[in-house]
Amino acid sequence: DGIYAYLSELSHRIDLTVELGLQSVHDKTAEIINRGHSFSEFETAFFRLKELGVRTVVHIINGLPRETDEMMLETARKLGKMRPDGVKIHLLHVINGTVLEKMYSEGNYFPMEPDRYVDITVRQLELLPPETVIERLTGDGDKNKLAAPLWSKNKIAVLGAIDKRQAQLDSFQGKNFV
């Protein structure tokens, strides 16, 4: 309670944004990635911050282990209904020396291909409210430590592919938001 009170008071003095790492609405995925909290706990914190008027940005990650396209879309659908102030969409990067890199090298994890990432991201944008600020459409892995997917090193190409796909589909943020 003390932390919420402090954040509320602080948000009245400065431009404050709290960023929350949701990654996925699926608790099974949260266990795999050791997120450390359930979706229900995330919702409690999110709505408490919203209640206090604190600007809140939520991170989601596409390509998490064992997540299907429908699971990633469900994350965007549920998040959209919560109406966050901002969203940052990331691609899961395989970083050398991590547990994920071991899974990848043993053939137990397969990173997203570029076309699939672009398609999922475009479809997620359609599910998010038009007033939500999209603060990121893909992240940057440390190029010296990135094991995969190597195509993600060219961020401009990824952003261009998303833009092109939206134009091809006459797609836009909020198109399928309900």
Side-chain angles (χ1 to χ4, degrees):
D1 286 340
I3 292 171
Y4 287 111
Y6 173 71
L7 291 173
S8 177
E9 185 270 324
L10 188 61
S11 73
H12 290 92
R13 286 191 289 128
I14 64 168
D15 289 330
L16 176 68
T17 297
V18 173
E19 299 195 13
L20 299 176
L22 172 60
Q23 319 325 349
S24 171
V25 298
H26 303 282
D27 286 339
K28 216 172 233 182
T29 301
E31 289 174 28
I32 293 169
I33 65 171
N34 293 322
R35 183 176 66 200
H37 58 83
S38 68
F39 179 58
S40 175
E41 290 167 317
F42 166 85
E43 284 181 303
T44 299
F46 176 87
F47 286 119
R48 184 96 183 262
L49 290 167
K50 291 272 289 184
E51 206 174 87
L52 296 171
V54 175
R55 183 175 188 279
T56 306
V57 174
V58 179
H59 293 248
I60 61 174
I61 297 179
N62 291 329
L64 292 167
R66 301 192 188 117
E67 286 227 339
T68 64
D69 293 2
E70 186 48 47
M71 291 170 78
M72 289 179 266
L73 294 173
E74 182 65 17
T75 291
R77 192 175 293 111
K78 284 186 176 181
L79 181 57
K81 289 178 181 176
M82 297 170 74
R83 296 183 171 274
D85 298 301
V87 172
K88 292 185 177 183
I89 302 173
H90 301 266
L91 166 67
L92 184 62
H93 291 109
V94 180
I95 303 299
N96 290 322
T98 63
V99 172
L100 184 62
E101 191 265 338
K102 186 176 188 311
M103 289 172 61
Y104 170 69
S105 66
E106 292 172 351
N108 295 317
Y109 173 74
F110 301 94
M112 293 184 87
E113 293 297 325
D115 289 343
R116 182 172 172 229
Y117 182 77
V118 167
D119 182 60
I120 291 296
T121 302
V122 167
R123 291 167 65 197
Q124 287 174 321
L125 290 170
E126 292 178 343
L127 298 168
L128 295 171
E131 69 273 8
T132 295
V133 177
I134 305 303
E135 296 190 1
R136 182 172 295 140
L137 288 171
T138 187
D140 296 299
D142 182 336
K143 291 178 181 172
N144 296 318
K145 297 179 182 177
L146 183 68
L150 297 179
W151 60 263
S152 70
K153 287 182 177 184
N154 189 345
K155 189 173 185 176
I156 298 301
V158 175
L159 296 174
I162 291 168
D163 187 51
K164 182 178 178 181
R165 186 73 175 139
Q166 283 184 301
Q168 290 169 338
L169 297 173
D170 192 28
S171 175
F172 53 89
Q173 181 182 338
K175 181 178 182 178
N176 296 321
F177 174 71
V178 256

